Amino acid sequence: MTLTHIASAALAALALQGIAFAAPPQGQATQVAHPGVGGSLKTGLDRSGFDTAVRPQDDLFKAANGQWLKDTPIPGDKADYGIFIQLRDRADERVRKIVEELAAAKAGSGVERQIGDYYRSFIDEAAIDKAGLEPVKPWFAQVDAVKNKADLAVQFGRLQGVASTPMVLYVGADDKDPSTNRMQTWQGGLGLPDRDYYLKDDERFAKARTAYMTYLETLLRLGGDANAAQSAKDVYALEKRLAEAQWSRVDNRDPQKLYNAMTVAELQKAAPGLDWDAFFKAAALPELDKLILSQPSYATALAKAVDDTPIATWQTYLKVRLLDSNADTLPKAFREVAFDFRGKAIRGLTQDEPRWQKATRSLNAALGEGVGQIYVARHFPPAYKARMEQLVGHLMAAYRQSIDKLSWMSPPTKARAKEKLAKYITKIGYPEVWRDYAALQVKDGDAFGNAARAGRFEHERLAVRAGKPVDRREWGMTPQTVNAYYNPNFNEIVFPAAILEAPFFDMTADDAVNYGAIGAVIGHEISHGFDDTGSQYDGDGKLNNWWTEADRKAFDALGERLVKQYAGYEALPGHKLNGKLTLGENIADLSGLQIAYKAYHLSLKGKKAPVLDGLTGDQRFFLGWSQAWREKAREERALQLLSIDTHSPSEFRANGAAVNHDGFHQSFRTKPGDGMWKPGAERIRIW
């Protein structure tokens, strides 16, 4: 994944792209004798999940995962399930054990006391039910006090980090001056998952819209609105108006279009109708010499909506956003209706997620690095970090060699590409400097207030940095996050501790599967610096064209071929993949697999890999790659992901990259007529 906008509970609308890599295998890995070596070496493959009736030559994904797909139901509290979710559950269970110990102790001080109080308060549903709407009443009172457009702008600012608003503010590195933090905007404020849910004429989207209207009306009724039915219609109409003005997710992948630097005065002139100065001051951003406006036309449309929409409608809208954003810390009736909509209607769940797991997710957003310090001490041995550094070294070496051999790139651009690669920063496991939460107020028994204060704390922690130097030591994810990312402004690849687990990374397994899994993850993240968006940033993290015109055209032409390939895949009846939306991740998958394969061969140092369990090293590599994508999703969730996710569904990630890989065709001896066959001349080779 790329990380151009860091998301958290406080900044949920920012464009964070999850990679969906992860988790523990089903069953036991097969152990076989290692030829020429005493003892045994396990392959790292879960053969019990293979479908022996399917040949890898016909469908690599089903060959490695078909039996698992047939035998494994999706748990009622999951929208999708597989390797990634299993590993996430493992990390959550570890966090649970840590925080329950702290919560039970009711002792200590500092961050450990904060963690215990936060978790204990969140899981105390009886206390939450008893409190009723009292915790939210002060926020409602502020909304009720809005009398004019200036007051409304102030509310937009005060709610930053506390609830979803139509314009999200955050502070991060300036794309064209990455050493400096800059306040930036992002479109937001929709109750449905994406603008497509409001705008597309499709039976599945229509069903979601109907469920949303019921949700809106129920939320408002529970919140005390005596005219909930009409109020729900008013809120929906306002949100649809915002959706019509919002940029598509494809447009939001273009960093050049998103970079619009200006002063507050220039913004006020370009988007009159909203008091931007009052908005920024209320958002703890009183003095801004410059800001970055991400979607200018949306800002203009929002300002017009503020100007000509009745204040009463905006008040109702803000109350809905407060209730919806904080439903987990409100009484039972709110929690149940939120599950009916967000769980059942949007994600297809049949039962709600366990309360303890919701609590760990909220806690990770609020005090994540505090929890992470304990997590790392218990679950991330130093040897893991050393081994990962070795793997990254091999991947970097393979990437340098690959750049040298590119036929479509000229020498001047190759030199700049290698210069960028040489400047990569690698972060593994956990940050060098831990975040300080001393100023965050956590009250025992105040679940709603704790979450609201934590969200605002995170917002203000970043807001104070506007116009100041960037701290490149910081992380965008906690150590207990099952994910990884590339940050173009820092030109860094980051691998949290929790993803460095089997089957991605197994210290005791044969290296073939390690390279096919975690090696491909590493290669994937390296490749994001050279995908269609990451390649627009130089080695110092600056949005800067370092390509010759001819080389860029050649690269874009390769990308168009990949767009066409993935646009031909149908994930649901009548719903094909958006090849443009998923292009960056598809490039990273394809290139990551190519580089990991080369790195695996470099690691062999000229020796031939052993045959284990009847499989060659190369075959195990590709089966390990496919096994990493072991996942299935409910139809509702699949529809949601097709609309919002920049990644292709798992089966297309596994097969889509492999069909373009010469090594795959060689290792399984594919031929015309095989399901995975693709003529050599048609295979797409980028990096």
Side-chain angles (χ1 to χ4, degrees), residues 315-330:
Q315 290 174 311
T316 304
Y317 165 86
L318 290 177
K319 288 182 178 180
V320 166
R321 298 275 61 83
L322 272 162
L323 295 172
D324 179 36
S325 299
N326 296 280
D328 280 342
T329 53
L330 291 173

Side-chain angles (χ1 to χ4, degrees), residues 191-348:
L192 284 162
D194 185 71
R195 66 194 288 273
D196 286 355
Y197 279 74
Y198 296 85
L199 308 179
K200 285 195 172 182
D201 184 15
D202 177 274
E203 182 180 352
R204 294 182 180 89
F205 287 128
K207 185 179 178 181
R209 289 193 288 269
T210 299
Y212 185 48
M213 288 301 299
T214 300
Y215 180 51
L216 285 175
E217 184 176 344
T218 308
L219 273 184
L220 288 163
R221 177 173 50 78
L222 291 171
D225 192 319
N227 193 22
Q230 183 57 50
S231 294
K233 292 177 183 177
D234 293 342
V235 170
Y236 182 84
L238 176 56
E239 288 187 11
K240 185 178 180 182
R241 177 176 178 176
L242 297 177
E244 289 170 340
Q246 289 194 355
W247 288 22
S248 72
R249 289 182 182 261
V250 171
D251 285 335
N252 283 332
R253 294 195 64 254
D254 188 333
Q256 296 287 353
K257 288 182 180 179
L258 293 172
Y259 190 88
N260 302 278
M262 61 185 67
T263 65
V264 176
E266 288 170 334
L267 172 58
Q268 191 66 61
K269 184 177 180 181
L274 174 61
D275 188 335
W276 293 96
D277 189 57
F279 178 21
F280 296 147
K281 285 180 179 177
L285 291 156
E287 297 180 8
L288 295 170
D289 62 329
K290 188 169 79 169
L291 61 93
I292 310 299
L293 188 66
S294 296
Q295 296 100 356
S297 60
Y298 174 74
T300 302
L302 170 60
K304 190 173 189 308
V306 167
D307 191 46
D308 61 26
T309 299
I311 291 294
T313 299
W314 279 111
Q315 290 174 311
T316 304
Y317 165 86
L318 290 177
K319 288 182 178 180
V320 166
R321 298 275 61 83
L322 272 162
L323 295 172
D324 179 36
S325 299
N326 296 280
D328 280 342
T329 53
L330 291 173
K332 184 178 180 180
F334 290 92
R335 300 195 300 270
E336 288 181 342
V337 71
F339 170 68
D340 286 343
F341 174 62
R342 300 215 172 275
K344 290 181 180 178
I346 297 300
R347 302 174 67 216

Side-chain angles (χ1 to χ4, degrees), residues 119-135 327-333 335 355 444-448:
Y119 181 82
R120 186 172 54 253
S121 301
F122 194 99
I123 62 173
D124 191 350
E125 294 177 291
I128 292 171
D129 293 342
K130 184 178 180 180
L133 282 176
E134 286 303 312
D328 280 342
T329 53
L330 291 173
K332 184 178 180 180
R335 300 195 300 270
R355 186 69 183 175
D444 196 6
D446 186 13
F448 181 96

